[in-house]
Amino acid sequence: MRGLRRWWDDTASGLPATFWYLWSGLLINRAGAFAMLFLSLYLTAARGASASLAGLVVGAYGAGGAAGTLLGGVLADRWGRRSTLLAAHLGAAGLMVGLAFSRHLAVIAALAALVGMVHSMPSPAFVAAIVDVVPEARRSRAFNLQFWAFNLGMAVASLLAGVLAEASFLALFLVDAAATLAAAVVIALKVPETLTRRPAVTPRAVAGRRPGLHTALTDRTFLAFVGLTFLLAVLTMQTSTIMPLAMRADGLRPSAYGMVVALGGALIVVGQLFVPRLIEPYRKSTVLAVSTGLMALGFGALTVADGLPLYLGAAVVWTVGQMLAAPPNAQINADLAPPELRARYQSVFYLTFPAASFVAPALGGLSLQHLGERHWLVVGALGLVTAVGHLLAGPPRERRVAALRAAAERAETVSAGR
């Protein structure tokens, strides 16, 4: 017991109170964000929509999410982290109440797109605020705790959603709104504005232009990292898009798929907190190469998987890879962003996930149909390419981060002199 207490003290030490309030808000937000998990079922079962129409409405939610990610990044840098978080949470709570009582499918589709936008707006602001308040030496642990809270919240949301959906769809939306409102209250009462105005520290390639979203979109070092993260996201999306089809082709029941997903979630909740100490001695590019290599191995092993035990074993391997990748991925993203553009850089980074959620099923379904089990060899090869990419991109990234730190120190010196 003392050892566990000592380990927790080491994990949590050096993290300011504002971080923990942000962490609590994120946990409440994720645990309560369950209504949209059942949107397609709600549309078909309660509103009489066809499967194709339900798919279009869910697609509208995804399109709104892509727009909200960019909007959240711009607002968080211009308006402030706290203001953006409050506006997004209050807007989401109100829109969710509107969805609860809407009857016309056109209205529901419009509301779903708006909900997707306000659901995605907090992500860049949350991460930018964490970078603002957490000392650089503790950010890896902070991001690890953030990833853990996100997954724990999603696990709770999945359980609550099933219970509430069976009881009442109205309750599903209203409880979601109440949880979102609770997160807004925590932020309003406990989270101060963390955005501070600093002298611009932008990459040389765009010096002379006013920094903005275009800065992130033309930053080649950053975009190389975003591209590698996109490939990592395509790997991760296999579990929710292509793997269920492969398991059904192998004669496995839906409950078997549920067991594989539940195992991955349980591993993250139980083991994620131990990751920072494990990876701390190593370079971030090396950790990312190893993590994507493990994911390549796990998904590649599905080439010969024909029963539940092999799927479960492969899930352990790729989940460990995901766990190792989370802290350095977030920290590199924070390190590459000039201080005055943190949220904008986060918004571009987060676009990789909706993009992967489109590409993974679209190309993966085609690949599975024509290649069969050899599809997983392609996925494994993609993981190995990503691992090599991280090893090659690591040194330029490190030089870029060192240059940004030096420029930031010079800017702070000039500002202090003034």
Side-chain angles (χ1 to χ4, degrees):
M1 193 69 180
R2 288 181 180 177
L4 185 61
R5 177 67 179 273
R6 193 181 306 114
W7 163 81
W8 173 254
D9 289 343
D10 180 61
T11 298
S13 64
L15 296 175
T18 300
F19 165 77
W20 289 110
Y21 291 125
L22 287 165
W23 183 88
S24 301
L26 176 64
L27 180 61
I28 296 170
N29 178 295
R30 288 297 89 197
F34 42 66
M36 305 311 285
L37 297 174
F38 279 73
L39 180 60
S40 58
L41 180 61
Y42 166 72
L43 290 169
T44 54
R47 294 289 165 254
S50 64
S52 58
L53 183 56
L56 288 174
V57 175
V58 175
Y61 173 81
T69 298
L70 293 176
L71 178 62
V74 172
L75 289 179
D77 278 337
R78 288 187 178 178
W79 195 13
R81 323 313 194 195
R82 182 176 184 271
S83 300
T84 302
L85 289 171
L86 284 175
H89 282 80
L90 292 174
L95 289 168
M96 202 60 66
V97 173
L99 271 176
F101 294 102
S102 296
R103 297 292 179 267
H104 299 290
L105 288 174
V107 175
I108 292 174
L111 289 174
L114 291 174
V115 169
M117 184 178 69
V118 293
H119 271 182
S120 297
M121 282 174 58
S123 295
F126 265 125
V127 178
I130 289 172
V131 177
D132 291 340
V133 302
V134 176
E136 185 177 343
R138 307 299 295 177
R139 283 177 192 164
S140 178
R141 295 178 185 273
F143 287 131
N144 193 66
L145 286 165
Q146 177 209 6
F147 182 70
W148 182 71
F150 184 90
N151 282 277
L152 179 60
M154 289 299 293
V156 173
S158 299
L159 294 174
L160 289 176
V163 174
L164 287 171
E166 290 186 4
S168 166
F169 282 115
L170 179 63
L172 184 74
F173 288 107
L174 292 181
V175 173
D176 189 315
T180 305
L181 188 60
V185 170
V186 171
I187 293 166
L189 296 179
K190 295 295 185 179
V191 177
E193 179 53 62
T194 65
L195 175 63
T196 55
R197 304 297 177 182
R198 298 180 176 88
V201 182
T202 54
R204 291 181 182 176
V206 292
R209 295 182 63 186
R210 184 175 180 178
L213 190 60
H214 63 84
T215 309
L217 294 173
T218 54
D219 184 341
R220 288 178 292 181
T221 303
F222 174 67
L223 290 180
F225 172 65
V226 169
L228 292 170
T229 303
F230 167 74
L231 296 179
L232 179 69
V234 169
L235 293 177
T236 303
M237 290 291 176
Q238 299 297 313
T239 58
S240 59
T241 57
I242 305 304
M243 191 180 71
L245 302 177
M247 294 183 73
R248 184 177 64 181
D250 285 332
L252 297 172
R253 297 168 59 87
S255 58
Y257 171 69
M259 290 179 64
V260 173
V261 174
L263 175 62
L267 284 173
I268 290 173
V269 170
V270 173
Q272 188 67 46
L273 294 178
F274 297 94
V275 168
R277 180 175 292 182
L278 180 64
I279 66 175
E280 202 165 17
Y282 305 101
R283 296 170 65 177
K284 298 180 187 68
S285 56
T286 303
V287 174
L288 286 172
V290 171
S291 67
T292 49
L294 287 172
M295 293 177 69
L297 179 62
F299 286 113
L302 297 186
T303 306
V304 297
D306 56 2
L308 182 58
L310 284 174
Y311 274 98
L312 291 172
V316 171
V317 176
W318 74 60
T319 301
V320 171
Q322 291 175 332
M323 292 164 63
L324 294 176
N329 227 18
Q331 190 170 2
I332 290 171
N333 187 30
D335 290 343
L336 288 173
E340 71 276 14
L341 299 175
R342 276 176 182 156
R344 288 178 174 89
Y345 269 63
Q346 292 292 335
S347 67
V348 175
F349 173 80
Y350 274 101
L351 279 179
T352 59
F353 301 102
S357 68
F358 171 77
V359 170
L363 296 184
L366 195 64
S367 174
L368 187 67
Q369 179 180 343
H370 290 283
L371 299 178
E373 292 179 343
R374 288 176 295 172
H375 162 77
W376 299 111
L377 290 178
V378 175
V379 175
L382 183 65
L384 293 178
V385 168
T386 307
V388 173
H390 276 297
L391 291 175
L392 295 176
R397 279 200 306 254
E398 292 168 3
R399 290 193 295 270
R400 164 66 186 286
V401 170
L404 277 173
R405 286 174 181 163
E409 290 173 2
R410 288 195 299 269
E412 290 292 341
T413 302
V414 171
S415 179
R418 290 174 180 172

